[in-house]
Amino acid sequence: MLTRMLKAQAFKQAQQLFAQGKVQEATELLEHLQEEYVTLCDENKALRSQLSEVAEVLDMSEHMEFDGQKYWINEENERKGPFCQICYDRDGLLIRLQERSRHFLCHGCGSHYPRADSANGDATPEAQVQKRVVSLFK
Ligand SMILES: [Zn+2]
């Protein structure tokens, strides 16, 4: 509000300078105002885009589902995902998990999520070693 009042005064001042024949000073003042105007427009544009991003995130969070390990996004006709729980909870990032033969892999943090359809996956030597390694760090 204060800025807007100052701007109004500055434009008036420029008019007065022109009226007084101080063209150089008036031109400089107008150039300065023009620069500020461009800066404000850029700021405004950035804020608008941030605002729409926030609105999108809020809208999206209403459609998110946690299956106990990973996140999914339920849209009208399809289910998107899965997405990494660690990356989302820690950084607010939706990182799509890469499907492997027995697990889903996150390229963001390197987490592994066992696939629900490979219930016997734990029986493989690879999975057993992995399980033991994980238990060492608990
Ligand atoms: Zn991750």
Side-chain angles (χ1 to χ4, degrees):
M1 198 60 180
L2 181 68
T3 320
R4 217 174 285 164
M5 278 167 58
L6 289 173
K7 290 286 178 294
Q9 282 178 353
F11 278 114
K12 209 173 173 185
Q13 200 187 338
Q15 270 184 334
Q16 284 169 353
L17 288 169
F18 274 122
Q20 291 163 8
K22 298 176 181 171
V23 177
Q24 180 66 26
E25 276 178 64
T27 307
E28 277 171 21
L29 184 58
L30 284 177
E31 279 173 359
H32 177 71
L33 285 169
Q34 192 178 16
E35 272 173 35
E36 280 190 23
Y37 175 74
V38 170
T39 306
L40 281 173
C41 285
D42 288 347
E43 254 179 49
N44 191 20
K45 200 175 159 190
L47 286 171
R48 277 175 190 276
S49 118
Q50 273 178 22
L51 196 64
S52 81
E53 259 178 56
V54 169
E56 266 177 42
V57 168
L58 286 177
D59 182 53
M60 194 178 64
S61 67
E62 278 178 27
H63 296 98
M64 278 178 75
E65 178 199 326
F66 184 58
D67 70 2
Q69 289 184 330
K70 313 172 289 295
Y71 283 112
W72 298 83
I73 294 176
N74 292 313
E75 292 191 342
E76 272 176 50
N77 297 315
E78 61 171 334
R79 194 181 193 220
K80 285 185 179 173
F83 299 95
C84 180
Q85 176 257 322
I86 293 173
C87 285
Y88 185 73
D89 288 355
R90 191 183 56 195
D91 307 318
L93 295 174
L94 278 175
I95 308 287
R96 195 184 279 270
L97 296 171
Q98 304 298 307
E99 199 167 356
R100 295 288 182 262
S101 58
R102 292 192 180 84
H103 62 270
F104 288 102
L105 171 69
C106 174
H107 282 311
C109 67
S111 292
H112 285 213
Y113 295 88
R115 278 175 51 164
D117 58 350
S118 66
N120 298 325
D122 281 350
T124 67
E126 188 195 359
Q128 282 178 349
V129 169
Q130 205 176 24
K131 220 173 175 180
R132 255 179 251 162
V133 171
V134 167
S135 69
L136 285 175
F137 292 98
K138 276 183 180 168

